[in-house]
Amino acid sequence: MSSTARRQDIWIDFGLSGLTKWFSGPWVGEATEEEIIVGAAGWGGGAYAPTLLEDALRLRESPVPTQVIDLLLRAATGLPYEPDEMQRNGRELMDDIVRISVEQIRRDDPSFTVVPLGPPVGGPIEEAVLAQIRDAAPALRDAVRTGGSEVVAALEQVVEEADPDLGFRLFLRVLKAYLVPVTETQYVRYHEIGERLGYNEFVVDDGTLQSLPDPD
């Protein structure tokens, strides 16, 4: 559904992590949730849709609890977990994303059908992502405050039970949403992981990642 070359060509955060940024845009409140998803899926002539579909399928079919999905979707937009403020739960939202993404892809390829996903990237990259989440955990918990420990645990769970690739992008999105400061060493490591996953460099840092010099 998404090739490394295609991912490298997308110069903004893509997939589900990128969609959470759309949910924090100035149009929120003026557009419906479905309209926002449709807009994201159609971005770049539909370049976004395959990555949205893959992320939504991986998360929907994973053993990650729905409440954890809800928590992360809120955290990725810099908002506290408030179930009453969500129009639908996370798995219902994944259903909508799958439907809308497939509709977008079929505009160019009417014969497109959803096929089972291959296994997510794992092994060394999973360990590398977990190491960075745990390294940043104290600063992340301080920035999120209420529920910070739960957000860290949720990110780890997505990495371990759904997809390290998606977990890493959601981790970066939470860092950006809460303006969590990272050291230059952490910043370099994030870019190294991004290169291994085939990201455009601007997916890791779109100018909002708060990088500070390493402590003496």
Side-chain angles (χ1 to χ4, degrees):
M1 263 179 286
S2 59
S3 67
T4 299
R6 183 177 299 164
R7 286 154 61 101
Q8 289 175 337
D9 290 340
I10 300 177
W11 49 268
I12 61 174
D13 193 2
F14 54 83
L16 187 59
S17 56
L19 179 62
T20 61
K21 188 174 182 180
W22 286 65
F23 281 129
S24 59
W27 46 80
V28 174
E30 299 178 2
T32 66
E33 196 173 70
E34 176 149 339
E35 287 171 339
I36 293 172
I37 299 170
V38 169
W43 180 88
Y48 222 97
T51 67
L52 269 176
L53 177 59
E54 181 172 346
D55 280 355
L57 286 171
R58 287 205 185 280
L59 201 51
R60 187 183 70 178
E61 304 304 322
S62 77
V64 175
T66 299
Q67 184 175 342
V68 171
I69 297 174
D70 296 346
L71 172 68
L72 274 185
L73 291 177
R74 296 283 292 183
T77 60
L79 296 172
Y81 178 48
E82 298 288 353
D84 293 341
E85 294 186 13
M86 300 187 71
Q87 297 181 30
R88 67 203 74 189
N89 70 46
R91 275 199 161 74
E92 292 170 339
L93 182 62
M94 295 306 108
D95 288 338
D96 287 344
I97 293 171
V98 168
R99 171 179 56 81
I100 291 168
S101 298
V102 169
E103 290 172 354
Q104 174 63 49
I105 294 169
R106 284 178 177 162
R107 293 180 183 180
D108 294 325
D109 181 6
S111 66
F112 175 80
T113 56
V114 178
V115 297
L117 295 173
V121 60
I125 198 71
E126 178 179 326
E127 293 304 316
V129 173
L130 287 172
Q132 294 313 307
I133 293 173
R134 290 164 184 167
D135 187 45
L140 201 158
R141 284 193 291 262
D142 287 345
V144 176
R145 297 187 180 181
T146 303
S149 295
E150 288 78 6
V151 170
V152 172
L155 288 167
E156 292 181 357
Q157 192 166 7
V158 169
V159 170
E160 294 174 322
E161 298 183 6
D163 182 20
D165 182 344
L166 173 57
F168 182 56
R169 283 182 281 114
L170 286 172
F171 165 62
L172 292 174
R173 182 52 54 197
V174 174
L175 292 180
K176 295 167 187 175
Y178 282 93
L179 302 178
V180 180
V182 301
T183 67
E184 290 181 359
T185 297
Q186 289 171 316
Y187 185 84
V188 169
R189 288 173 180 164
Y190 300 165
H191 276 283
E192 290 173 347
I193 292 173
E195 289 178 4
R196 291 166 66 182
L197 290 168
Y199 298 170
N200 185 296
E201 62 179 314
F202 293 110
V203 172
V204 173
D205 184 16
D206 56 5
T208 57
L209 198 57
Q210 306 296 302
S211 176
L212 300 174
D214 287 331
D216 295 333

